Amino acid sequence: PPGPALSQSLPDLVAAIPEGETLSLDAGQTTGRADLTGALVIQGSGDSQLVAPDDDAILVLLPGADLALSGVTLSQAGRSTIAIHVEGGRLSLSDCRIEGDFGAAIQVLSGQVTIRDCHFEGGQVGVQAGPGSAVTLERVTMTGQGDTAIFAEGAELGLSAVTLTGNGQNGLVVTGSSTVTADDLTVSDAASVGVWIEGATTASLH
């Protein structure tokens, strides 16, 4: 099906797609916030851009949501602090770029999140993972976050071929009763601490 015109909104497009089907996006911008409770595939062209509303998230995943999102750039045009907010369900994010001054680009309160082949540029925190969440990053780069690239508290965190560079404070911070496994992790040019681990955290870093 044809992708969205510039005047179309993301919530309208999502509402028109049956659960479990694929929403295909052509090049260009799509704006607005969409809340998800079911299964959906969003496939961008590589030049597709999802733009956060002025002060809101682009996507909110609630319990029962299952989203596969690929081939898009997530960006910020106003004061939005979050690109994707996950309160449950499952998110698979791949072949993407996240840019803009987000407070936490991907915020995970609970649920399962997998991010592959993505680049994060700027903002304050790239990924924030809360207690009970499970987050996996594979072949991900994060550059120039003003605070911390990855912050996990009481989360299960898996990192493979991840590069964190030029962060304003820290590269990786893990606290609480977290479990972190990292293979091929590179952290460089963090202004404060490259890797900070505290609390009852189990860590295996390579």
Side-chain angles (χ1 to χ4, degrees):
L6 294 181
S7 60
Q8 289 184 297
S9 72
L10 181 61
D12 290 344
L13 292 169
V14 168
I17 296 293
E19 182 175 345
E21 295 297 319
T22 297
L23 170 59
S24 298
L25 302 176
D26 286 342
Q29 294 185 351
T30 304
T31 62
R33 164 180 164 168
D35 291 13
L36 304 179
T37 57
L40 180 66
V41 176
I42 301 178
Q43 176 66 59
S45 67
D47 294 317
S48 306
Q49 188 173 25
L50 297 179
V51 181
D54 182 53
D55 58 355
D56 211 341
I58 299 171
L59 289 157
V60 175
L61 275 67
L62 300 170
D66 187 352
L67 173 65
L69 174 63
S70 62
V72 300
T73 294
L74 305 174
S75 64
Q76 175 205 49
R79 299 171 296 160
S80 177
T81 59
I82 300 169
I84 301 179
H85 177 78
V86 182
E87 291 187 23
R90 182 167 54 188
L91 168 66
S92 174
L93 182 62
S94 62
D95 299 317
C96 66
R97 181 179 177 88
I98 299 96
E99 58 189 24
D101 193 23
F102 291 110
I106 310 297
Q107 183 182 65
V108 188
L109 299 188
S110 62
Q112 297 180 329
V113 173
T114 301
I115 303 173
R116 295 187 177 96
D117 301 305
C118 290
H119 177 71
F120 292 67
E121 183 75 31
Q124 296 303 306
V125 176
V127 173
Q128 178 181 349
S133 63
V135 178
T136 300
L137 280 70
E138 300 177 357
R139 299 179 300 277
V140 170
T141 59
M142 296 186 179
T143 302
Q145 283 69 47
D147 192 323
T148 300
I150 302 173
F151 179 86
E153 180 181 7
E156 181 181 333
L157 185 64
L159 309 175
S160 177
V162 171
T163 298
L164 315 175
T165 183
N167 305 116
Q169 291 295 322
N170 313 298
L172 170 65
V173 173
V174 184
T175 69
S177 300
S178 296
T179 300
V180 55
T181 302
D183 182 30
D184 191 14
L185 171 66
T186 301
V187 183
S188 63
D189 299 326
S192 181
V193 177
V195 177
W196 179 275
I197 296 175
E198 66 178 13
T201 291
T202 302
S204 175
L205 306 179
H206 302 283

